[in-house]
Coordinates of all heavy atoms in Angstrom, one line a residue:
G12 N 73.6 60.8 -151.1 CA 72.3 61.2 -151.6 C 71.7 62.4 -151.0 O 70.5 62.8 -151.2
V13 N 72.4 63.0 -150.1 CA 71.9 64.2 -149.3 C 72.7 65.5 -149.7 O 73.9 65.5 -149.7 CB 72.1 63.9 -147.8 CG1 71.6 65.2 -147.0 CG2 71.3 62.7 -147.4
L14 N 72.0 66.5 -150.0 CA 72.6 67.8 -150.2 C 72.4 68.6 -148.9 O 71.3 68.9 -148.5 CB 71.8 68.5 -151.4 CG 72.3 70.0 -151.7 CD1 73.7 69.9 -152.3 CD2 71.3 70.6 -152.7
T15 N 73.5 68.9 -148.3 CA 73.5 69.7 -147.0 C 73.8 71.1 -147.3 O 74.8 71.5 -147.8 CB 74.5 69.1 -146.1 OG1 74.3 67.7 -145.9 CG2 74.5 69.8 -144.7
L16 N 72.9 72.0 -146.8 CA 73.0 73.4 -146.9 C 73.1 74.0 -145.5 O 72.3 73.8 -144.6 CB 71.8 74.0 -147.6 CG 71.3 73.4 -148.9 CD1 70.1 74.1 -149.4 CD2 72.5 73.6 -149.9
T17 N 74.2 74.7 -145.2 CA 74.5 75.1 -143.9 C 74.6 76.7 -143.8 O 75.4 77.3 -144.5 CB 75.8 74.5 -143.4 OG1 75.8 73.1 -143.5 CG2 76.1 74.9 -141.9
F18 N 73.8 77.3 -143.0 CA 74.0 78.7 -142.7 C 75.4 78.9 -142.0 O 75.7 78.2 -141.0 CB 72.9 79.2 -141.7 CG 71.5 79.3 -142.3 CD1 70.5 78.5 -141.8 CD2 71.3 80.2 -143.3 CE1 69.2 78.7 -142.4 CE2 70.0 80.4 -143.9 CZ 69.0 79.6 -143.4
N19 N 76.2 79.8 -142.6 CA 77.5 79.9 -142.1 C 77.9 81.4 -141.9 O 78.9 81.9 -142.4 CB 78.5 79.2 -143.0 CG 79.9 79.1 -142.5 OD1 80.1 78.8 -141.3 ND2 80.9 79.5 -143.3
R20 N 77.1 82.1 -141.1 CA 77.4 83.5 -140.8 C 77.2 83.6 -139.3 O 76.5 84.5 -138.8 CB 76.5 84.4 -141.5 CG 76.9 85.8 -141.6 CD 75.9 86.7 -142.2 NE 76.3 88.1 -142.3 CZ 75.5 89.2 -142.4 NH1 74.2 89.0 -142.4 NH2 76.0 90.4 -142.4
P21 N 77.9 82.8 -138.5 CA 77.6 82.7 -137.0 C 78.0 84.0 -136.3 O 77.4 84.4 -135.3 CB 78.5 81.6 -136.5 CG 79.6 81.4 -137.6 CD 78.9 81.8 -138.9
E22 N 78.9 84.8 -136.9 CA 79.3 86.0 -136.2 C 78.2 87.1 -136.3 O 78.2 88.0 -135.5 CB 80.6 86.6 -136.9 CG 80.4 87.2 -138.3 CD 80.3 86.2 -139.4 OE1 80.4 84.9 -139.1 OE2 80.2 86.6 -140.5
K23 N 77.2 86.9 -137.2 CA 76.1 87.7 -137.3 C 74.8 87.0 -137.0 O 73.7 87.3 -137.5 CB 76.0 88.3 -138.7 CG 77.1 89.3 -139.0 CD 77.0 90.6 -138.2 CE 78.1 91.6 -138.6 NZ 78.1 92.8 -137.8
K24 N 74.9 85.9 -136.2 CA 73.8 85.1 -135.8 C 73.0 84.5 -137.0 O 71.8 84.3 -137.0 CB 72.8 85.9 -134.9 CG 73.4 86.4 -133.6 CD 73.9 85.3 -132.8 CE 74.5 85.9 -131.5 NZ 75.1 84.8 -130.6
N25 N 73.8 84.3 -138.1 CA 73.3 83.7 -139.3 C 72.1 84.6 -139.9 O 71.2 84.0 -140.5 CB 72.8 82.3 -139.1 CG 74.0 81.3 -138.9 OD1 75.0 81.5 -139.6 ND2 73.9 80.4 -138.0
A26 N 72.1 85.9 -139.7 CA 71.2 86.8 -140.3 C 71.4 86.6 -141.8 O 72.5 86.5 -142.4 CB 71.4 88.2 -139.9
I27 N 70.3 86.5 -142.6 CA 70.3 86.1 -144.0 C 70.4 87.3 -144.9 O 69.5 88.2 -144.8 CB 69.0 85.3 -144.3 CG1 68.9 84.1 -143.3 CG2 69.2 84.7 -145.7 CD1 67.6 83.4 -143.5
T28 N 71.4 87.3 -145.7 CA 71.6 88.4 -146.7 C 71.0 88.0 -148.0 O 70.6 86.8 -148.2 CB 73.1 88.7 -146.9 OG1 73.7 87.5 -147.5 CG2 73.8 89.0 -145.6
P29 N 70.8 89.0 -148.9 CA 70.3 88.6 -150.3 C 71.1 87.5 -151.0 O 70.5 86.6 -151.6 CB 70.3 89.9 -151.0 CG 70.1 91.0 -150.0 CD 70.9 90.4 -148.8
D30 N 72.4 87.6 -150.8 CA 73.2 86.5 -151.5 C 73.0 85.2 -150.8 O 73.0 84.1 -151.5 CB 74.7 86.9 -151.3 CG 75.2 88.0 -152.3 OD1 74.4 88.3 -153.2 OD2 76.2 88.6 -152.0
M31 N 72.7 85.1 -149.5 CA 72.4 83.9 -148.9 C 71.1 83.3 -149.4 O 70.9 82.1 -149.6 CB 72.5 84.0 -147.4 CG 73.8 84.3 -146.8 SD 73.8 84.8 -145.1 CE 73.3 83.3 -144.2
Y32 N 70.1 84.2 -149.5 CA 68.8 83.8 -150.0 C 69.0 83.2 -151.4 O 68.4 82.1 -151.7 CB 67.9 85.0 -150.1 CG 67.1 85.3 -148.8 CD1 67.2 86.5 -148.2 CD2 66.2 84.3 -148.3 CE1 66.5 86.7 -147.0 CE2 65.4 84.6 -147.2 CZ 65.6 85.8 -146.5 OH 64.9 86.1 -145.4
A33 N 69.7 83.8 -152.2 CA 69.9 83.4 -153.6 C 70.6 82.0 -153.6 O 70.2 81.1 -154.4 CB 70.7 84.4 -154.4
A34 N 71.6 81.8 -152.8 CA 72.4 80.6 -152.8 C 71.5 79.4 -152.3 O 71.5 78.3 -152.9 CB 73.6 80.7 -151.8
F35 N 70.7 79.6 -151.3 CA 69.8 78.6 -150.8 C 68.7 78.3 -151.9 O 68.4 77.1 -152.2 CB 69.1 79.0 -149.6 CG 69.7 78.5 -148.3 CD1 70.8 79.2 -147.8 CD2 69.2 77.4 -147.7 CE1 71.4 78.7 -146.6 CE2 69.8 76.9 -146.5 CZ 70.9 77.6 -146.0
G36 N 68.2 79.4 -152.5 CA 67.1 79.2 -153.5 C 67.6 78.4 -154.7 O 67.0 77.5 -155.2
D37 N 68.8 78.8 -155.2 CA 69.4 78.1 -156.3 C 69.7 76.6 -156.0 O 69.5 75.7 -156.9 CB 70.7 78.8 -156.8 CG 70.5 80.1 -157.4 OD1 69.3 80.4 -157.8 OD2 71.5 80.9 -157.6
A38 N 70.2 76.3 -154.8 CA 70.5 74.9 -154.5 C 69.2 74.1 -154.4 O 69.2 73.0 -154.9 CB 71.2 74.9 -153.1
I39 N 68.2 74.6 -153.8 CA 66.9 73.9 -153.7 C 66.3 73.7 -155.1 O 65.8 72.6 -155.4 CB 65.9 74.6 -152.8 CG1 66.5 74.6 -151.3 CG2 64.5 74.0 -152.8 CD1 65.8 75.5 -150.4
D40 N 66.3 74.7 -155.9 CA 65.7 74.6 -157.3 C 66.5 73.6 -158.1 O 65.9 73.0 -159.0 CB 65.7 76.0 -158.0 CG 64.5 76.9 -157.6 OD1 63.5 76.3 -157.1 OD2 64.6 78.1 -157.7
G41 N 67.8 73.6 -157.9 CA 68.6 72.7 -158.7 C 68.6 71.2 -158.3 O 69.1 70.4 -159.1
A42 N 68.2 70.9 -157.1 CA 68.2 69.6 -156.6 C 67.5 68.5 -157.5 O 68.1 67.4 -157.7 CB 67.7 69.6 -155.2
P43 N 66.3 68.8 -158.0 CA 65.6 67.8 -158.7 C 66.4 67.3 -160.0 O 66.2 66.2 -160.5 CB 64.3 68.4 -159.1 CG 64.1 69.5 -158.1 CD 65.4 70.0 -157.8
A44 N 67.2 68.2 -160.5 CA 67.9 67.8 -161.8 C 69.2 67.0 -161.5 O 69.8 66.5 -162.4 CB 68.3 69.1 -162.5
D45 N 69.5 66.8 -160.2 CA 70.8 66.1 -159.9 C 70.4 64.7 -159.4 O 69.8 64.6 -158.3 CB 71.5 66.9 -158.8 CG 72.9 66.3 -158.5 OD1 73.1 65.1 -158.8 OD2 73.7 67.0 -157.9

Side-chain angles (χ1 to χ4, degrees):
V13 178
L14 179 69
T15 303
L16 308 178
T17 305
F18 288 116
N19 188 44
R20 199 187 179 203
E22 73 282 1
K23 295 293 185 180
K24 302 299 183 182
N25 290 319
I27 309 173
T28 65
D30 285 345
M31 292 168 70
Y32 273 117
F35 264 83
D37 289 346
I39 293 169
D40 278 338
D45 188 338

